[in-house]
Amino acid sequence: MTLTAVIVVFRNDMYQVSQLAATLVKAGKSAGYETDAILVINDASCTDELSEHEVIQGHGNVGFARGVRMGVDAASSDFIAIINPDIEPDLVQFTRMFAGMVRGRAISAPVLVDTAGRIEYETYEDWVFTIGRRAAARVCKQFLLHSEKTDLVPFTKICGAFIVLERSIALELEGPFDTDFFLYGEDRDLSRRARNRGIALKLRRDVRVIHVGGVSGSSAAELVMRAKADSALRIANRKYGKLGVLAMCVDLLAEAAIKSPVAGGAAFSARLWAIKRWLAQPGEPATLDSSILTS
């Protein structure tokens, strides 16, 4: 059996990425799989530290979902592990994750914790409008902290920071993330599409990995805020149609208006940019790219 780890890199420390890739490969081999790593570089970073792994680069910033798809297409393994570069290397936990991989129609994910060891239950929340966010938070907190169930329940989603699935399932799901999502929201969309196809979403409660988070958000704040707003509108459109888009426009602007003056002003501007783009056309706008996001 074979396993490929796919890591999409954007403005990350290359030494840390190389350590993560090396640990993933070692963990896969320790779990009994012939393992390799594919690094998809969405910027112009120096890749000297990554010479022992397959590197895909030179395509510019195509977004997270499209970067993952490039890695999946380049792989030929039985299993795919998709890992964000802000997951801390942990040979013991990675080996446990790979040794217990779920075969068949399933996507599995470990429990994510922050650097203080707190379970990041909010990363599993599935909601559309702000009014439903508190309900999702309550469900996720109960599910992550006070339940032993492994099948994700309604109002929860698989977290795209670390997932494992058979490559055939990733291709069936056409990604597995929909490449219309540039950044954020792609795991919510994946969770709904997977459930509709009868693909189980599994939480590996026996595996805990540290998720640092926040790298892309701090290094490209305006781009990230625009992409998040676009993803929110795309999710609302696919779930509720044009009325959902109009409701999300109000939701986005209202939430930005109640934020602090500094953060709210930047968020309001980014969300207004996305809203104008969506309202300017009758259907779903074309997929974002970095040139559109920075225009």
Side-chain angles (χ1 to χ4, degrees):
M1 299 294 287
T2 54
L3 165 69
T4 297
V6 174
I7 306 173
V8 178
V9 179
F10 180 69
R11 300 184 183 179
N12 298 97
D13 182 280
M14 286 296 107
Y15 176 75
Q16 293 178 358
V17 171
S18 68
Q19 294 296 107
L20 175 61
T23 304
L24 288 163
V25 171
K26 187 174 181 180
K29 292 178 178 178
S30 296
Y33 292 88
E34 183 180 336
T35 309
D36 65 342
I38 296 177
L39 293 302
V40 183
I41 312 297
N42 271 0
D43 56 31
S45 298
C46 175
T47 57
D48 292 343
E49 300 93 337
L50 308 176
S51 58
E52 62 185 292
H53 309 292
E54 181 175 351
V55 174
I56 301 173
Q57 60 184 335
H59 50 267
N61 187 7
V62 297
F64 176 70
R66 215 173 306 174
V68 167
R69 180 57 194 259
M70 293 171 71
V72 170
D73 286 343
S76 58
S77 54
D78 300 300
F79 284 93
I80 296 289
I82 300 166
I83 306 96
N84 279 8
D86 54 10
I87 296 292
E88 288 197 358
D90 189 320
L91 181 59
V92 172
Q93 297 298 321
F94 291 176
T95 301
R96 185 178 297 146
M97 182 72 186
F98 297 148
M101 284 193 294
V102 180
R103 298 212 58 182
R105 299 182 65 74
I107 305 172
S108 57
V111 175
L112 299 184
V113 300
D114 63 19
T115 53
R118 182 189 69 88
I119 294 177
E120 293 186 331
Y121 65 85
E122 63 276 7
T123 61
Y124 302 87
E125 295 173 9
D126 184 23
W127 49 275
V128 179
F129 303 107
T130 301
I131 193 171
R133 190 168 189 171
R134 287 188 177 181
R138 286 196 296 271
V139 170
C140 284
K141 192 172 184 178
Q142 173 66 30
F143 177 75
L144 267 296
L145 303 183
H146 306 294
S147 172
E148 296 182 0
K149 294 180 180 179
T150 56
D151 289 307
L152 269 66
V153 298
F155 290 101
T156 65
K157 64 174 177 64
I158 203 83
C159 181
F162 193 155
I163 64 173
V164 178
L165 70 167
E166 290 192 17
R167 183 171 179 269
S168 61
I169 300 299
L171 294 175
E172 178 186 336
L173 291 165
E174 302 179 359
F177 301 113
D178 187 333
T179 56
D180 283 345
F181 289 83
F182 187 87
L183 187 66
Y184 287 98
E186 64 283 320
D187 52 5
R188 294 182 189 178
D189 174 77
L190 170 63
S191 297
R192 289 168 188 164
R193 288 188 294 115
R195 283 175 168 133
N196 288 340
R197 289 173 178 261
I199 298 170
L201 304 178
K202 299 283 189 179
L203 181 68
R204 289 288 306 280
R205 292 186 179 275
D206 59 325
V207 182
R208 295 195 177 196
V209 297
I210 295 175
H211 177 228
V212 179
V215 174
S216 61
S218 60
S219 63
E222 179 69 15
L223 180 149
V224 168
M225 285 190 289
R226 288 183 173 188
K228 288 178 78 171
D230 178 84
S231 293
L233 289 159
R234 205 169 293 274
I235 288 171
N237 180 59
R238 294 185 178 186
K239 193 167 179 65
Y240 300 110
K242 193 66 176 180
L243 287 177
V245 171
L246 295 175
M248 181 55 72
C249 291
V250 176
D251 188 281
L252 288 170
L253 294 179
E255 186 188 25
I258 63 175
K259 289 180 178 288
S260 66
V262 175
F268 191 92
S269 175
R271 294 175 182 194
L272 188 60
W273 176 91
I275 287 169
K276 287 180 177 178
R277 180 170 178 268
W278 271 78
L279 296 183
Q281 1 192 348
E284 187 168 302
T287 305
L288 287 172
D289 61 37
S290 57
S291 63
I292 294 174
L293 280 166
T294 54
S295 62

